[in-house]
Amino acid sequence: HTSHIDFQTAVLGVDTNQTNYPCPLDSFFHKGCEQRNGGTVCVYPNAILKRVKKKFMADELDAFQLLNDTRYFPKLYYADERCQTILVENVRQKGKEKNRWCSNYTYYEEFYRSAFEIFNEKNIIPRDLNTCCNTIVNGDNIRIIDFGQYRLDKEPEKVLETNKKLLETILQDIPS
């Protein structure tokens, strides 16, 4: 049985006196982290650590609760609403910085159509979803990331109408 403190020391390599309580993940933000529209992002080999801006945090957490099918979305390992930090699976292949579109168009089209079925079922409008930055593609391994600007709507008709247009735009952007 390993305590939280032992885990930080043994696995993460951070001495217990270096952790910042009450927000212990703050110790893992460093100069190499990127400032983005939704907050700060630190990329580690197996995980992404994000400090999410307050205005996006609730939607991001709600989306992670609803979008938990790991065939389409990354795993959420940890979330701390008070500290505005989340730790999610890094779905990009190690050593790769750009998407590798190498399957045929039909494969990617089916992926997005299936993902939009989930969005429609959960009444979610993926407002900032695109093929360049919020989709990670490694051949046949695809995941949709970054839910901070997703809109969780109540009117299914509006969701269906908006998502139909978004899907059309995304399908046009898939490299062929």
Side-chain angles (χ1 to χ4, degrees):
H1 172 56
T2 303
S3 74
H4 179 70
I5 302 299
D6 293 337
F7 174 77
Q8 288 177 328
T9 304
V11 177
L12 299 176
V14 175
D15 292 333
T16 56
N17 63 358
Q18 290 180 318
T19 57
N20 299 317
Y21 290 97
C23 297
L25 290 183
D26 284 356
S27 299
F28 300 97
F29 287 96
H30 52 80
K31 291 180 183 172
C33 299
E34 296 178 29
Q35 296 297 318
R36 297 187 183 168
N37 184 41
T40 305
V41 176
C42 299
V43 178
Y44 289 92
N46 297 311
I48 305 290
L49 175 62
K50 295 171 71 175
R51 180 175 291 120
V52 181
K53 287 183 181 176
K54 190 171 191 151
K55 67 181 181 178
F56 298 126
M57 188 68 178
D59 285 345
E60 184 120 12
L61 290 178
D62 289 345
F64 265 110
Q65 283 186 327
L66 296 170
L67 302 174
N68 55 14
D69 186 333
T70 57
R71 294 174 298 165
Y72 302 95
F73 312 105
K75 295 174 194 163
L76 174 65
Y77 295 132
Y78 175 84
D80 186 326
E81 194 166 0
R82 186 178 43 78
C83 295
Q84 296 174 231
T85 54
I86 62 172
L87 187 66
V88 299
E89 173 186 21
N90 183 353
V91 296
R92 188 174 299 281
Q93 198 172 21
K94 290 179 182 148
K96 304 291 181 190
E97 292 183 20
K98 298 188 183 221
N99 283 340
R100 293 184 320 113
W101 300 89
C102 52
S103 291
N104 63 33
Y105 175 87
T106 304
Y107 180 83
Y108 299 119
E109 177 187 24
E110 289 173 4
F111 171 84
Y112 281 111
R113 287 191 186 282
S114 295
F116 269 84
E117 285 177 17
I118 295 170
F119 293 139
N120 291 337
E121 176 185 309
K122 307 286 184 174
N123 282 331
I124 295 174
I125 298 172
R127 292 192 302 187
D128 63 344
L129 177 60
N130 53 53
T131 59
C132 74
C133 309
N134 292 345
T135 305
I136 303 297
V137 181
N138 295 306
D140 291 348
N141 185 13
I142 312 169
R143 297 294 182 284
I144 294 171
I145 62 168
D146 194 5
F147 310 136
Q149 294 186 34
Y150 282 21
R151 187 162 162 206
L152 286 73
D153 223 299
K154 303 267 191 265
E155 302 172 32
E157 300 80 23
K158 181 179 179 184
V159 171
L160 289 172
E161 179 183 322
T162 303
N163 282 353
K164 182 178 179 184
K165 293 175 188 170
L166 288 171
L167 178 59
E168 289 172 9
T169 301
I170 286 172
L171 294 179
Q172 290 173 3
D173 288 344
I174 296 174
S176 51

